[in-house]
Amino acid sequence: MSAIVRARNLSKTYGTTKALDGVSFDIESGRIVGLIGPNGAGKTTALKAILGLTAFDGELSVLGLDPRTQRAALMEQVCFIADVAVLPRWLRVREAVEFVAGVHPRFSREKCEAFLAHTKIAPGMRVRELSKGMIVQLHLALVMAIDARLLVLDEPTLGLDILYRKSFYESLLSDYFDENKTIIVTTHQVEEVEHILTDLMFIQNGHLVLAATMDEVGERYAEVMVNPDRAEAARALNPLNERQIFGKSIFLYDGVDRARLAQLGELHKPSVADLFVATMKGTYA
């Protein structure tokens, strides 16, 4: 596989604040990468660097191009959906489709209209007539109809209800994603994207706390539900986290032998949300 994004010692400072502090990572082709972190962790800065929207120190290559000096060529192959879609309120839906069709050579009018057909959005409607969720839907339809090699999603379903959020991710897999495309997604609704991710990156205070494939995560981390009489034995194995539920303790471990853990209680695969909470503990300095 070839690296679609290659970062080495990527750094960005705002005044005295280090938004990114020497971050290095590779993102391969045909992957869906979840970039997860709390507000202010460095997610948006990393995305802006990848998209050529901010200056940075270090080395960064995206699709073999330097975002700082070759952004025009880069954006022919990259699409970006921000957390807030801003469209002119006077614009009609058909005019938005016409505009994108006229400026982007990789745009498919047919695909865009197919996406919109699953909504209540009519071609003659103006943006000011659309609800917040409908505006997001329009923006998604416009961007996902572009045959980009890299799709960057920053809170892409913000403003959509749960049915539309589910529909969006289903469309992402069935109508957009293939082995030649790569997706980077940030979201606070981790549980809704966990099933589609191939790779996971946790970021906090400008540092990568975790970078692994989902297969590696499954092999490395384990949770065990322990009865009260085995809790002290479980604590002796230095868990990353401990939480209580229905009178029992759930411990999360990194790299501990599963046969040993199975002697303590019932083994489970941790959710990304639980792993995130455990990994972030102690990193809020």
Side-chain angles (χ1 to χ4, degrees), residues 145-195:
I146 297 173
D147 185 25
R149 291 181 60 195
L150 175 62
L151 178 61
V152 179
L153 307 173
D154 187 6
E155 295 288 350
T157 57
L158 193 70
L160 296 180
D161 64 34
I162 188 169
L163 294 177
Y164 284 124
R165 294 200 303 268
K166 181 177 177 61
S167 176
F168 167 71
Y169 288 117
E170 289 176 349
S171 296
L172 197 66
L173 289 180
S174 62
D175 301 327
Y176 179 84
F177 181 69
D178 60 40
E179 67 275 7
N180 297 314
K181 293 182 171 67
T182 302
I183 299 173
I184 304 174
V185 56
T186 73
T187 179
H188 287 97
Q189 295 160 332
V190 181
E191 66 283 352
E192 294 185 1
V193 300
E194 180 173 356
H195 69 289

Side-chain angles (χ1 to χ4, degrees), residues 41-226:
K43 303 187 303 296
T44 299
T45 300
L47 295 186
K48 285 183 176 180
I50 290 171
L51 294 165
L53 294 174
T54 188
F56 55 84
D57 295 317
E59 300 178 13
L60 180 60
S61 172
V62 183
L63 296 169
L65 301 171
D66 186 333
R68 292 170 292 195
T69 60
Q70 298 172 289
R71 186 170 188 270
L74 177 63
M75 295 312 294
E76 292 182 4
Q77 305 180 72
V78 176
C79 278
F80 174 48
I81 300 179
D83 58 348
V84 178
V86 179
L87 294 170
R89 291 178 56 79
W90 50 264
L91 191 70
R92 293 188 186 276
V93 172
R94 70 167 66 93
E95 293 170 340
V97 175
E98 289 287 345
F99 174 79
V100 179
V103 300
H104 207 296
R106 293 175 177 264
F107 179 77
S108 169
R109 183 193 301 270
E110 293 76 17
K111 187 173 290 187
C112 180
E113 290 174 348
F115 285 134
L116 291 176
H118 295 290
T119 73
K120 296 181 180 180
I121 301 172
M125 297 177 71
R126 297 186 187 273
V127 170
R128 64 170 172 259
E129 301 175 76
L130 306 179
S131 68
K132 181 179 179 181
M134 293 169 75
I135 293 174
V136 176
Q137 287 178 316
L138 173 58
H139 194 209
L140 295 179
L142 292 170
V143 175
M144 287 182 62
I146 297 173
D147 185 25
R149 291 181 60 195
L150 175 62
L151 178 61
V152 179
L153 307 173
D154 187 6
E155 295 288 350
T157 57
L158 193 70
L160 296 180
D161 64 34
I162 188 169
L163 294 177
Y164 284 124
R165 294 200 303 268
K166 181 177 177 61
S167 176
F168 167 71
Y169 288 117
E170 289 176 349
S171 296
L172 197 66
L173 289 180
S174 62
D175 301 327
Y176 179 84
F177 181 69
D178 60 40
E179 67 275 7
N180 297 314
K181 293 182 171 67
T182 302
I183 299 173
I184 304 174
V185 56
T186 73
T187 179
H188 287 97
Q189 295 160 332
V190 181
E191 66 283 352
E192 294 185 1
V193 300
E194 180 173 356
H195 69 289
I196 71 170
L197 299 180
T198 63
D199 297 79
L200 194 59
M201 296 169 63
F202 288 166
I203 188 170
Q204 171 62 327
N205 293 333
H207 296 273
L208 277 184
V209 181
L210 173 69
T213 68
M214 291 300 289
D215 287 341
E216 291 170 342
V217 169
E219 294 171 0
R220 176 176 168 182
Y221 297 96
E223 277 190 337
V224 59
M225 180 179 289
V226 177

